[in-house]
Amino acid sequence: SQQGEEDPQALSIQEGENATMNCSYKTSINNLQWYRQNSGRGLVHLILIRSNEREKHSGRLRVTLDTSKKSSSLLITASRAADTASYFCATGGGGYQKVTFGTGTKLQVIP
Amino acid sequence: KAGVTQTPRYLIKTRGQQVTLSCSPISGHRSVSWYQQTPGQGLQFLFEYFSETQRNKGNFPGRFSGRQFSNSRSEMNVSTLELGDSALYLCASNTPEGTQYFGPGTRLTVL
């Protein structure tokens, strides 16, 4: 079963627009991570945010974490066609805690 | 550092056969995780190995097994293949904090 649920399941935007996707999870966490997957390929790690952090930036990516609501959001600013991919949140990992992935958001950026 | 390598990249088998997939993690990483990805079930955790010991296990039947060698390379084996085992099998090389670096995957087709 999936720990996280991403919302929306699919998102289509024009190049240059911002894309926001959300992740909700069920149990307490030490950290939350976001990954990107291009069609049929392995996942690429984007960013990790710890449970004591509220916001983190990496280039055009901005991640927020609200542990009281058990939710996180990923914002991609000024999107590009190359951002077209599926995006997954993941919780757990490190030590004896297995990593569990959400269901993913499929983002399409139209040139 | 070299990335995560998985072999083979593509594999076609028939029902009832068995298959062995291989994964070489990033040098220095001692933890390796395996996932099955299908359109219907998404990313499903198979198992994780750390220093040659299985540390976590997902909810897969006993036909799915794995092992890790002293050099951290890992193999997974699926016996008595079924049509439903057709999937992309992903291996991840894990940091102690839980960040995962994925290989390109092995695409298994069972006919």
Short mmCIF file of all heavy atoms in Angstrom, two decimals, chain B residues 73-105:
data_model
loop_
_atom_site.label_atom_id
_atom_site.label_comp_id
_atom_site.label_asym_id
_atom_site.label_seq_id
_atom_site.Cartn_x
_atom_site.Cartn_y
_atom_site.Cartn_z
N ARG B 73 27.04 -5.40 -4.01
CA ARG B 73 26.23 -5.73 -5.17
C ARG B 73 25.06 -6.61 -4.73
O ARG B 73 25.18 -7.40 -3.79
CB ARG B 73 27.06 -6.47 -6.21
CG ARG B 73 26.36 -6.65 -7.56
CD ARG B 73 27.29 -7.31 -8.57
NE ARG B 73 27.54 -8.71 -8.26
CZ ARG B 73 26.76 -9.72 -8.62
NH1 ARG B 73 25.64 -9.47 -9.30
NH2 ARG B 73 27.08 -10.95 -8.30
N SER B 74 23.93 -6.44 -5.41
CA SER B 74 22.74 -7.17 -4.99
C SER B 74 22.12 -7.85 -6.21
O SER B 74 22.25 -7.39 -7.34
CB SER B 74 21.73 -6.23 -4.35
OG SER B 74 20.54 -6.91 -3.99
N GLU B 75 21.46 -8.94 -5.95
CA GLU B 75 20.68 -9.64 -6.97
C GLU B 75 19.29 -9.88 -6.44
O GLU B 75 19.08 -10.05 -5.23
CB GLU B 75 21.32 -10.99 -7.30
CG GLU B 75 22.60 -10.92 -8.08
CD GLU B 75 23.15 -12.30 -8.41
OE1 GLU B 75 22.67 -13.30 -7.85
OE2 GLU B 75 24.08 -12.38 -9.22
N MET B 76 18.33 -9.88 -7.36
CA MET B 76 17.01 -10.36 -6.99
C MET B 76 16.61 -11.46 -7.96
O MET B 76 17.02 -11.46 -9.13
CB MET B 76 15.97 -9.24 -6.96
CG MET B 76 15.61 -8.63 -8.27
SD MET B 76 14.04 -7.73 -8.17
CE MET B 76 12.86 -9.07 -8.25
N ASN B 77 15.87 -12.39 -7.46
CA ASN B 77 15.47 -13.55 -8.23
C ASN B 77 13.95 -13.69 -8.17
O ASN B 77 13.34 -13.51 -7.11
CB ASN B 77 16.15 -14.80 -7.67
CG ASN B 77 15.83 -16.03 -8.47
OD1 ASN B 77 14.79 -16.65 -8.31
ND2 ASN B 77 16.73 -16.37 -9.38
N VAL B 78 13.37 -14.00 -9.30
CA VAL B 78 11.94 -14.31 -9.33
C VAL B 78 11.80 -15.69 -9.95
O VAL B 78 12.26 -15.92 -11.08
CB VAL B 78 11.13 -13.29 -10.15
CG1 VAL B 78 9.62 -13.55 -9.98
CG2 VAL B 78 11.47 -11.87 -9.75
N SER B 79 11.21 -16.59 -9.21
CA SER B 79 11.04 -17.95 -9.72
C SER B 79 9.60 -18.14 -10.20
O SER B 79 8.70 -17.36 -9.83
CB SER B 79 11.36 -18.97 -8.62
OG SER B 79 10.46 -18.80 -7.53
N THR B 80 9.41 -19.16 -11.02
CA THR B 80 8.08 -19.50 -11.53
C THR B 80 7.33 -18.25 -11.99
O THR B 80 6.28 -17.87 -11.44
CB THR B 80 7.25 -20.24 -10.45
OG1 THR B 80 8.08 -21.17 -9.76
CG2 THR B 80 6.11 -21.00 -11.10
N LEU B 81 7.89 -17.60 -12.99
CA LEU B 81 7.35 -16.33 -13.45
C LEU B 81 5.89 -16.42 -13.87
O LEU B 81 5.45 -17.42 -14.46
CB LEU B 81 8.17 -15.81 -14.62
CG LEU B 81 9.54 -15.20 -14.27
CD1 LEU B 81 10.39 -15.05 -15.52
CD2 LEU B 81 9.34 -13.87 -13.57
N GLU B 82 5.15 -15.36 -13.55
CA GLU B 82 3.76 -15.22 -13.95
C GLU B 82 3.63 -13.99 -14.84
O GLU B 82 4.48 -13.10 -14.81
CB GLU B 82 2.87 -15.05 -12.71
CG GLU B 82 2.96 -16.23 -11.76
CD GLU B 82 2.14 -16.01 -10.49
OE1 GLU B 82 1.52 -14.93 -10.35
OE2 GLU B 82 2.13 -16.92 -9.63
N LEU B 83 2.54 -13.95 -15.62
CA LEU B 83 2.34 -12.81 -16.52
C LEU B 83 2.35 -11.49 -15.74
O LEU B 83 2.88 -10.48 -16.21
CB LEU B 83 1.03 -12.96 -17.27
CG LEU B 83 0.92 -14.11 -18.26
CD1 LEU B 83 -0.46 -14.14 -18.91
CD2 LEU B 83 2.00 -14.03 -19.34
N GLY B 84 1.80 -11.52 -14.55
CA GLY B 84 1.71 -10.31 -13.73
C GLY B 84 3.04 -9.82 -13.20
O GLY B 84 3.09 -8.73 -12.60
N ASP B 85 4.09 -10.58 -13.41
CA ASP B 85 5.41 -10.13 -12.96
C ASP B 85 6.06 -9.20 -13.97
O ASP B 85 7.13 -8.64 -13.70
CB ASP B 85 6.33 -11.34 -12.75
CG ASP B 85 5.84 -12.26 -11.64
OD1 ASP B 85 5.14 -11.77 -10.73
OD2 ASP B 85 6.16 -13.48 -11.70
N SER B 86 5.42 -9.03 -15.12
CA SER B 86 5.93 -8.08 -16.10
C SER B 86 5.92 -6.69 -15.50
O SER B 86 4.87 -6.20 -15.03
CB SER B 86 5.05 -8.09 -17.36
OG SER B 86 5.15 -9.31 -18.04
N ALA B 87 7.07 -6.05 -15.47
CA ALA B 87 7.18 -4.77 -14.78
C ALA B 87 8.55 -4.18 -15.02
O ALA B 87 9.44 -4.82 -15.59
CB ALA B 87 6.98 -4.95 -13.26
N LEU B 88 8.71 -2.97 -14.54
CA LEU B 88 10.03 -2.34 -14.47
C LEU B 88 10.55 -2.57 -13.05
O LEU B 88 9.88 -2.22 -12.07
CB LEU B 88 9.92 -0.83 -14.75
CG LEU B 88 11.22 -0.03 -14.71
CD1 LEU B 88 12.15 -0.44 -15.85
CD2 LEU B 88 10.93 1.47 -14.78
N TYR B 89 11.70 -3.19 -12.94
CA TYR B 89 12.29 -3.47 -11.64
C TYR B 89 13.42 -2.47 -11.40
O TYR B 89 14.37 -2.39 -12.17
CB TYR B 89 12.79 -4.91 -11.56
CG TYR B 89 11.63 -5.87 -11.51
CD1 TYR B 89 11.06 -6.36 -12.68
CD2 TYR B 89 11.07 -6.26 -10.29
CE1 TYR B 89 9.96 -7.21 -12.64
CE2 TYR B 89 9.97 -7.10 -10.24
CZ TYR B 89 9.42 -7.57 -11.41
OH TYR B 89 8.34 -8.40 -11.38
N LEU B 90 13.27 -1.73 -10.33
CA LEU B 90 14.21 -0.66 -10.02
C LEU B 90 15.02 -1.00 -8.79
O LEU B 90 14.50 -1.50 -7.80
CB LEU B 90 13.45 0.65 -9.78
CG LEU B 90 12.75 1.24 -11.00
CD1 LEU B 90 11.74 2.30 -10.58
CD2 LEU B 90 13.76 1.84 -11.97
N CYS B 91 16.29 -0.68 -8.88
CA CYS B 91 17.19 -0.84 -7.75
C CYS B 91 17.61 0.55 -7.30
O CYS B 91 17.82 1.44 -8.13
CB CYS B 91 18.40 -1.66 -8.20
SG CYS B 91 19.81 -1.58 -7.10
N ALA B 92 17.74 0.73 -6.00
CA ALA B 92 18.17 2.02 -5.46
C ALA B 92 19.33 1.81 -4.51
O ALA B 92 19.35 0.86 -3.72
CB ALA B 92 17.02 2.70 -4.73
N SER B 93 20.27 2.72 -4.60
CA SER B 93 21.43 2.73 -3.70
C SER B 93 21.14 3.81 -2.65
O SER B 93 20.86 4.96 -3.00
CB SER B 93 22.67 3.09 -4.54
OG SER B 93 23.83 3.14 -3.77
N ASN B 94 21.20 3.42 -1.37
CA ASN B 94 20.67 4.28 -0.32
C ASN B 94 21.75 4.89 0.55
O ASN B 94 22.70 4.22 0.95
CB ASN B 94 19.75 3.45 0.59
CG ASN B 94 18.69 2.71 -0.19
OD1 ASN B 94 18.14 3.24 -1.15
ND2 ASN B 94 18.40 1.49 0.21
N THR B 95 21.55 6.17 0.90
CA THR B 95 22.41 6.80 1.88
C THR B 95 21.88 6.49 3.28
O THR B 95 20.72 6.09 3.42
CB THR B 95 22.43 8.33 1.70
OG1 THR B 95 21.14 8.86 2.06
CG2 THR B 95 22.74 8.72 0.26
N PRO B 96 22.69 6.68 4.31
CA PRO B 96 22.21 6.42 5.68
C PRO B 96 20.98 7.26 6.05
O PRO B 96 20.17 6.83 6.88
CB PRO B 96 23.41 6.78 6.55
CG PRO B 96 24.59 6.56 5.66
CD PRO B 96 24.14 6.97 4.29
N GLU B 97 20.84 8.43 5.44
CA GLU B 97 19.70 9.30 5.75
C GLU B 97 18.44 8.85 5.05
O GLU B 97 17.33 9.27 5.40
CB GLU B 97 20.03 10.74 5.37
CG GLU B 97 19.10 11.77 5.99
CD GLU B 97 19.59 13.18 5.75
OE1 GLU B 97 20.26 13.43 4.73
OE2 GLU B 97 19.29 14.04 6.61
N GLY B 98 18.59 8.00 4.02
CA GLY B 98 17.41 7.52 3.33
C GLY B 98 17.25 8.03 1.91
O GLY B 98 16.31 7.65 1.23
N THR B 99 18.13 8.91 1.46
CA THR B 99 18.07 9.35 0.07
C THR B 99 18.43 8.18 -0.83
O THR B 99 19.37 7.44 -0.55
CB THR B 99 19.05 10.51 -0.17
OG1 THR B 99 18.65 11.61 0.64
CG2 THR B 99 19.03 10.93 -1.63
N GLN B 100 17.66 8.03 -1.89
CA GLN B 100 17.86 6.89 -2.78
C GLN B 100 18.31 7.36 -4.16
O GLN B 100 17.75 8.29 -4.72
CB GLN B 100 16.56 6.10 -2.89
CG GLN B 100 16.09 5.57 -1.55
CD GLN B 100 14.99 4.54 -1.69
OE1 GLN B 100 13.95 4.83 -2.25
NE2 GLN B 100 15.23 3.34 -1.17
N TYR B 101 19.28 6.67 -4.70
CA TYR B 101 19.77 6.92 -6.05
C TYR B 101 19.44 5.69 -6.88
O TYR B 101 19.92 4.59 -6.58
CB TYR B 101 21.27 7.20 -6.03
CG TYR B 101 21.60 8.47 -5.28
CD1 TYR B 101 21.90 8.42 -3.92
CD2 TYR B 101 21.57 9.71 -5.91
CE1 TYR B 101 22.17 9.59 -3.21
CE2 TYR B 101 21.84 10.87 -5.21
CZ TYR B 101 22.14 10.80 -3.86
OH TYR B 101 22.38 11.95 -3.16
N PHE B 102 18.62 5.91 -7.87
CA PHE B 102 18.08 4.80 -8.63
C PHE B 102 18.90 4.47 -9.87
O PHE B 102 19.49 5.34 -10.51
CB PHE B 102 16.65 5.11 -9.07
CG PHE B 102 15.65 4.97 -7.97
CD1 PHE B 102 15.47 5.99 -7.04
CD2 PHE B 102 14.89 3.81 -7.85
CE1 PHE B 102 14.54 5.85 -6.01
CE2 PHE B 102 13.96 3.68 -6.83
CZ PHE B 102 13.79 4.69 -5.90
N GLY B 103 18.89 3.19 -10.20
CA GLY B 103 19.42 2.74 -11.47
C GLY B 103 18.39 2.94 -12.56
O GLY B 103 17.26 3.36 -12.29
N PRO B 104 18.74 2.61 -13.80
CA PRO B 104 17.83 2.82 -14.93
C PRO B 104 16.70 1.80 -14.98
O PRO B 104 15.72 2.00 -15.70
CB PRO B 104 18.74 2.69 -16.14
CG PRO B 104 19.85 1.79 -15.66
CD PRO B 104 20.06 2.12 -14.22
N GLY B 105 16.85 0.71 -14.22
CA GLY B 105 15.80 -0.30 -14.19
C GLY B 105 16.02 -1.43 -15.18
O GLY B 105 16.77 -1.30 -16.15
#
